[in-house]
Amino acid sequence: MSRRTGRPEPARNAEALRLDGVRKVHGTGEAAVTALDGVSLGLAAGSFTAVMGPSGSGKSTLLRCAAGLDRPDSGTVVVDGEEMTGGDETALTKFRRRRIGFVFQHYNLLPTLTVAQNTVLPLRLAGRRVDRERAREILAQVGLGDRLGHFPDQLSGGQRQRVAIARALVTEPGVVFADEPTGALDTRSARDVLRLLREAARLHGRTVVMVTHDPVAASYADSVLFLADGRLAGRMAEPTVDAVAERLAHLGDRAGADAESGV
Ligand code: ADP
Ligand code: MG
């Protein structure tokens, strides 16, 4: 109901995202790779969580399964108390459009659409009323209120990512996922993007889950989940840059040792 009125009413302490025993294998036969090996976790509404781990540890797969972009082979995903993994493809798409926002590393804006058109696209796809004022309002929030008629190729990388964030927030989703959203950005643009994601959680009650390999980015989050070899390998509350870097180095050691021993 809050989604339609445009007034967020975050249910504090409620669980916005729950994964139980999520398993995902990519490929078949000899080429099969177990990307997620039984991941269970719960995230509180309005929290901002970073997901870290060595390359290939399953971070993107975790995000895609949690966001309904990929289907787990087994296990369940529950968003705002509703199971996402139950229905068919159409039901899943509807669910995703209503409840989930996604930010990609390389923005994924449509080059032939203006900033305003890109931003309200999820509303159109969901068959919801498209309100130019809504576009203006959400773009103003990300500091681009004066760029409505521009095209993506007229913007910097940081500006494009801010449009992508506006697009992810426009439907007022319960959960926003971002996969390495600062991976292609300079330090200053990265900081803007991180502040916006933190604001989405703190001011607007969205639950934000961000994959990053950067301890500085992770330090913007309330907590960090560490993944190694498709499994959860730890959690850190109130992360600092140094503590995260230290922990990550040890995860890296283990993954490196496994690789050397041919595991
Ligand atoms: P990360 O984001 O942590 O780097 P991914 O989730 O992308 O990890 O990948 C986890 C594992 O699954 C890796 O071994 C990767 O090679 C494999 N993988 C990911 N996507 C696919 C795919 N579409 N087909 C085959 N293997 C994949
Ligand atoms: Mg990845």
Side-chain angles (χ1 to χ4, degrees):
M1 131 185 61
S2 62
R3 283 180 190 80
R4 266 167 230 127
T5 61
R7 275 178 288 280
E9 300 160 12
R12 294 279 166 208
N13 304 321
E15 216 171 45
L17 179 71
R18 163 113 232 130
L19 271 64
D20 273 307
V22 171
R23 222 180 113 74
K24 177 75 184 177
V25 178
H26 292 296
T28 53
E30 293 210 347
V33 176
T34 303
L36 292 178
D37 196 7
V39 172
S40 301
L41 59 89
L43 300 181
S47 60
F48 181 9
T49 305
V51 177
M52 304 191 86
S55 177
S57 58
K59 303 181 297 295
S60 292
T61 304
L62 175 68
L63 237 60
R64 294 182 58 86
C65 285
L69 292 170
D70 271 352
R71 252 177 209 284
D73 293 305
S74 57
T76 54
V77 177
V78 176
V79 178
D80 289 338
E82 201 177 320
E83 186 177 340
M84 181 168 67
T85 28
D88 61 10
E89 226 30 69
T90 317
L92 180 62
T93 303
K94 263 193 174 165
F95 190 100
R96 202 173 56 222
R97 283 182 181 155
R98 208 155 29 99
R99 299 200 185 244
I100 287 175
F102 207 99
V103 178
F104 301 88
Q105 179 175 356
H106 297 291
Y107 331 124
N108 291 18
L109 300 178
L110 294 178
T112 57
L113 299 185
T114 64
V115 164
Q117 289 166 338
N118 266 289
T119 302
V120 297
L121 191 60
L123 293 175
R124 278 191 197 287
L125 290 173
R128 284 161 65 173
R129 203 163 65 86
V130 174
D131 182 338
R132 200 171 163 77
E133 260 327 291
R134 177 71 187 134
R136 193 183 301 280
E137 176 190 46
I138 195 98
L139 282 163
Q141 254 177 48
V142 301
L144 293 171
D146 55 347
R147 301 297 170 109
L148 273 68
H150 284 62
F151 287 91
D153 68 1
Q154 297 172 312
L155 303 178
S156 70
Q159 290 171 330
R160 287 182 209 190
Q161 195 60 302
R162 285 190 272 144
V163 175
I165 290 174
R167 179 182 58 184
L169 296 175
V170 75
T171 58
E172 305 191 319
V175 189
V176 178
F177 296 95
D179 195 350
E180 307 248 15
T182 61
L185 303 180
D186 60 86
T187 310
R188 195 184 156 153
S189 302
R191 197 184 55 202
D192 292 341
V193 160
L194 292 164
R195 285 182 176 155
L196 287 171
L197 292 173
R198 189 167 62 187
E199 254 178 42
R202 292 216 182 137
L203 298 183
H204 304 287
R206 311 282 163 235
T207 304
V208 181
V209 187
M210 169 183 74
V211 166
T212 182
H213 60 261
D214 177 7
V216 174
S219 74
Y220 280 73
D222 309 321
S223 70
V224 182
L225 292 175
F226 295 94
L227 264 188
D229 299 324
R231 296 199 180 103
L232 277 186
R235 191 165 191 159
M236 182 187 289
E238 294 173 31
T240 63
V241 179
D242 289 346
V244 169
E246 163 91 15
R247 184 73 156 269
L248 213 50
H250 292 307
L251 284 175
D253 288 350
R254 202 171 77 193
D258 287 351
E260 269 163 40
S261 65
V263 174

